């Protein structure tokens, strides 16, 4: 796995919009605020041509122009790391225009974004063996003050922090009429769950005297890949699906999947898990990390967000951790896609920690 050099205190940040750009409010104001805050930290900027336009369908421009922007900015010597302007809907159409061969042969560079940006953070790792950061897009860096999670993302981008833990509260709904640079509207206490096959599939700590014998402290480690399931579903079986090959290359490490859903209901989540499993995506798996789904707390015909995945994944006999700080309900832990991670989870302490190793 290739790891880019970390962003220095005076490094130049490149901005790209392979999904939606910062062309409407509040994204225009958030982008401006982020530039002010990052300038104060000593950074300069390079702007891709699509950052402030909205001429595509669900993305900033045509797929070809979005792909050209990303390829050019990635190979440019005028920026040191790249942060995406935002998520969107149709970045899957940009993937055919990404030059993974040249990316693989270029000097590696950090790319950070989430949601629709899965189409690059995931493929960068699986197709080009180059680590990327599944973390906030540039708008979040405009909040005042920074949430700890935004500082954590900056810490990973700059290499000052490689060990992360869960946050105490999360945002179920954004605050109405909040100013553009408002921080996350965190109101819900973080409560995580773990399912350990082999112990009657009981949630850890489900009773004071756990007759199943399931350990309170769960530890596992391996090579991390994943992202937004809405996007990953589109890649299965395409020419850009080399997941089985990736898992085989890193089978000695084992694979940890981090997954979260944006707009999928519980049946769509279950169908996606079935599709991924049927495509042999879970070979050599060591554990699963699930973020809170965008449609949180949904139950349809007796199926909830937990059984949507645990029923199908229990056969792998590995821990399944759920409702983690990953994805569309902020705050989010920055996930190092392609990196090596060491996970420790305690249900009793309601504590999740992950440490990255650059190996």
């Amino acid at each position: 796995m290739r790891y880019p050099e970390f962003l220095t205190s005076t490094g130049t940040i490149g901005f790209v919009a392979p999904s939606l750009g910062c062309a409407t409010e509040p994204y225009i104001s958030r982008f401006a605020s982020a530039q002010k805050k990052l300038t104060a930290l000593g950074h300069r900027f390079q702007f891709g041509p699509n950052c402030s336009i909205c001429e595509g369908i669900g993305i900033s421009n045509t797929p070809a122009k979005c792909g050209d922007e990303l390829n050019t900015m990635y190979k440019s010597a005028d920026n040191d790391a790249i942060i995406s302007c935002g998520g969107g809907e149709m970045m899957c159409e940009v993937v055919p225009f990404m030059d993974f061969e040249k990316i693989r042969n270029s000097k590696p560079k950090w790319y950070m974004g989430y949601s629709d940006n899965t189409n690059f953070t995931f493929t960068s790792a699986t197709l080009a063996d180059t680590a990327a950061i599944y973390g906030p897009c540039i708008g979040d860096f405009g909040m005042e003050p920074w949430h700890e999670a935004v500082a954590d993302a900056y810490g990973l981008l700059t290499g000052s922090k490689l060990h992360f833990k869960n946050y105490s509260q999360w945002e179920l709904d954004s605050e109405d009429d909040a100013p553009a640079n408002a921080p996350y509207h965190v109101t819900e206490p973080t409560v995580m769950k773990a399912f350990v096959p082999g112990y009657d599939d009981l949630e850890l700590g489900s009773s004071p005297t756990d007759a199943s014998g399931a350990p309170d402290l769960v530890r596992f480690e391996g090579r991390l890949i994943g992202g937004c399931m809405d996007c990953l579903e589109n890649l299965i079986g395409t020419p850009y699906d080399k997941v089985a090959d990736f898992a085989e290359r890193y089978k000695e490490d084992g694979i940890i999947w981090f997954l979260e859903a944006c707009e999928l209901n519980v049946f769509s989540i279950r169908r996606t898990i079935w599709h991924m499993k049927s495509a042999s995506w879970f070979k050599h798996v060591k554990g699963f990390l699930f973020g809170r789904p965008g449609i949180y707390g949904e139950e349809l015909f007796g199926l909830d967000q937990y059984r949507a995945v645990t029923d199908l994944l229990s056969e792998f006999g590995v821990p399944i951790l759920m409702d983690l700080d990953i994805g569309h309900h902020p705050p989010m832990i920055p996930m190092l896609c392609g990196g090596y991670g060491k996970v420790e989870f305690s249900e009793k302490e309601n504590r999740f920690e992950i440490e990255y190793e650059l190996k």
Side-chain angles (χ1 to χ4, degrees):
M1 183 59 57
R2 304 191 317 151
Y3 295 97
E5 295 177 2
F6 290 111
L7 181 68
T8 67
S9 59
T10 58
T12 298
I13 301 171
F15 299 120
V16 297
S19 190
L20 287 174
C22 298
T24 60
E25 291 293 355
Y27 306 104
I28 294 172
S29 296
R30 290 175 181 173
F31 192 20
S33 179
Q35 291 172 55
K36 289 180 181 178
K37 294 185 74 69
L38 291 167
T39 296
L41 290 172
H43 298 292
R44 298 180 299 274
F45 312 114
Q46 183 186 20
F47 299 89
N50 299 325
C51 290
S52 298
I53 65 173
C54 186
E55 298 180 5
I57 299 174
I59 50 179
S60 62
N61 209 325
T62 66
K65 289 182 178 179
C66 287
D68 182 64
E69 177 192 56
L70 179 53
N71 295 331
T72 300
M73 292 288 284
Y74 194 94
K75 292 178 285 185
S76 173
D78 295 327
N79 71 75
D80 303 300
I82 294 173
I83 301 178
S84 175
C85 286
E89 299 292 340
M90 299 301 297
M91 191 176 165
C92 57
E93 294 184 354
V94 181
V95 176
F97 297 97
M98 297 175 186
D99 194 339
F100 292 104
E101 187 62 30
K102 287 188 177 180
I103 290 169
R104 186 185 299 110
N105 293 316
S106 299
K107 180 181 178 181
K109 182 179 293 185
W110 287 116
Y111 179 102
M112 181 160 65
Y114 85 112
S115 189
D116 210 19
N117 291 277
T118 297
N119 287 286
F120 186 74
T121 56
F122 182 77
T123 52
S124 174
T126 56
L127 297 182
D129 283 305
T130 303
I133 301 172
Y134 191 76
C137 298
I138 191 57
D140 285 20
F141 289 86
M143 73 173 60
E144 182 62 50
W146 275 5
H147 187 277
E148 182 185 354
V150 178
D152 280 351
Y154 182 75
L156 180 55
L157 190 65
T158 57
S160 63
K161 189 170 185 180
L162 295 175
H163 189 173
F164 304 90
K165 60 182 180 180
N166 65 281
Y167 311 105
S168 60
Q169 291 181 296
W170 60 280
E171 178 184 288
L172 178 61
D173 296 301
S174 59
E175 191 173 13
D176 293 338
D177 301 320
N181 65 343
Y184 299 134
H185 184 226
V186 291
T187 59
E188 309 302 310
T190 297
V191 179
M192 299 168 288
K193 299 178 183 296
F195 297 85
V196 183
Y199 296 96
D200 299 325
D201 294 343
L202 288 175
E203 179 185 334
L204 292 184
S206 57
S207 62
T209 57
D210 188 359
S212 71
D216 174 66
L217 191 63
V218 177
R219 293 189 180 100
F220 53 95
E221 57 188 80
R223 185 72 50 182
L224 287 151
I225 55 171
C228 180
M229 295 170 66
D230 308 46
C231 304
L232 294 173
E233 164 69 19
N234 295 324
L235 295 174
I236 299 172
T238 70
Y240 316 102
D241 174 3
K242 302 297 181 184
V243 174
D245 294 341
F246 179 88
E248 203 61 32
R249 285 199 302 278
Y250 293 101
K251 65 181 179 181
E252 297 303 320
D253 296 333
I255 306 297
I256 297 175
W257 279 91
F258 66 91
L259 298 166
E260 56 101 8
C262 176
E263 298 175 338
L264 304 181
N265 67 24
V266 289
F267 283 111
S268 296
I269 290 172
R270 185 160 176 147
R271 283 191 291 265
T272 300
I273 291 293
W274 178 89
H275 199 182
M276 296 168 81
K277 186 173 74 166
S278 299
S280 300
W281 274 30
F282 299 142
K283 289 176 61 177
H284 310 302
V285 66
K286 300 287 286 294
F288 294 94
L289 310 177
F290 281 91
R292 294 175 287 265
I295 306 175
Y296 186 81
E298 179 184 55
E299 183 173 327
L300 296 174
F301 298 99
L303 183 69
D304 63 15
Q305 65 198 48
Y306 307 109
R307 291 197 60 190
V309 301
T310 58
D311 283 356
L312 299 181
L313 297 182
S314 60
E315 69 179 67
F316 293 101
V318 299
I320 305 167
L321 308 186
M322 303 195 69
D323 288 347
L324 304 181
D325 291 323
I326 301 171
H328 283 77
H329 282 294
M332 68 180 84
I333 293 171
M335 302 302 294
L336 186 55
C337 193
Y340 191 87
K342 293 184 175 181
V343 171
E344 182 171 297
F345 178 82
S346 169
E347 191 277 339
K348 183 177 181 180
E349 299 175 11
N350 195 37
R351 174 175 56 86
F352 170 82
E353 297 189 41
I354 187 164
E355 182 174 8
Y356 302 133
E357 289 189 5
L358 308 184
K359 70 175 190 176

